[in-house]
Amino acid sequence: MTTYTAIDPPRIYPTFRFRDAATMIDWLRDAFGFTVKARYEDDNGVVGHAELALGSSIIMCGQALEDEYGTIVGQPGDQGGKSLYVAVDDVNALFERVRKAGSAIEQGLTDRDYGSREFICRDPEGNVWCFGTYWPKAHER
């Protein structure tokens, strides 16, 4: 059995399928500050797989396809209660950047009773993103 430690590199990678992955990768870079670690396209420019980093975290994404995986995970926009939380250092500056990028702001900057300052928005394909200063760390109690 594998032993996992709290100081290992991340082992959980949120994945997204987008209706227009190439456009979304650019938008995520420009609006949220992701960097593109890997991007694999076919001859027609369709992104089959990409990895985007934000600090020490990575998300994986690609074009929504009508294949077996697409049947399992569903089509873009089928949220079903899912969202992604990202811990950031300067939530106020990111909020302004995201707002200027045209993101749909679902909840503006809010101070939570547990000490976090956060906001909630949607990307152009309807995915829910939560950004805040609360940053739990697996190696800390």
Side-chain angles (χ1 to χ4, degrees), residues 1-12 138-139:
M1 183 167 159
T2 303
T3 302
Y4 300 105
T5 67
I7 57 173
D8 287 340
R11 293 180 183 271
I12 299 172
H139 67 282

Side-chain angles (χ1 to χ4, degrees), residues 72-83:
I72 294 167
V73 300
Q75 292 302 307
D78 297 339
Q79 283 301 301
K82 298 179 294 259
S83 69

Side-chain angles (χ1 to χ4, degrees), residues 12-80:
I12 299 172
Y13 299 92
T15 60
F16 295 89
R17 282 209 160 174
F18 297 117
R19 287 181 281 274
D20 184 348
T23 298
M24 283 301 301
I25 290 167
D26 293 342
W27 192 88
L28 291 167
R29 181 197 63 219
D30 296 343
F32 293 166
F34 279 93
T35 58
V36 179
K37 301 282 293 173
R39 182 175 177 151
Y40 303 97
E41 299 179 355
D42 66 15
D43 293 338
N44 297 318
V46 175
V47 179
H49 176 80
E51 298 168 11
L52 287 71
L54 188 67
S56 62
S57 299
I58 293 175
I59 65 169
M60 296 186 288
C61 64
Q63 189 75 23
L65 302 172
E66 292 184 21
D67 58 8
E68 184 178 5
Y69 184 68
T71 300
I72 294 167
V73 300
Q75 292 302 307
D78 297 339
Q79 283 301 301

Side-chain angles (χ1 to χ4, degrees), residues 54-130:
L54 188 67
S56 62
S57 299
I58 293 175
I59 65 169
M60 296 186 288
C61 64
Q63 189 75 23
L65 302 172
E66 292 184 21
D67 58 8
E68 184 178 5
Y69 184 68
T71 300
I72 294 167
V73 300
Q75 292 302 307
D78 297 339
Q79 283 301 301
K82 298 179 294 259
S83 69
L84 187 70
Y85 177 86
V86 181
V88 297
D89 293 326
D90 189 346
V91 72
N92 294 332
L94 182 61
F95 177 79
E96 287 305 314
R97 180 177 177 170
V98 168
R99 189 184 57 74
K100 288 178 184 173
S103 179
I105 305 298
E106 296 294 330
Q107 184 177 68
L109 289 165
T110 303
D111 294 316
R112 304 286 184 205
D113 58 0
Y114 50 89
S116 186
R117 184 163 173 78
E118 312 176 340
F119 70 92
I120 301 170
C121 63
R122 289 185 187 270
D123 66 29
E125 292 203 3
N127 297 296
V128 177
W129 296 75
C130 307

Side-chain angles (χ1 to χ4, degrees), residues 126-138:
N127 297 296
V128 177
W129 296 75
C130 307
F131 293 92
T133 57
Y134 179 69
W135 187 6
K137 297 167 185 76

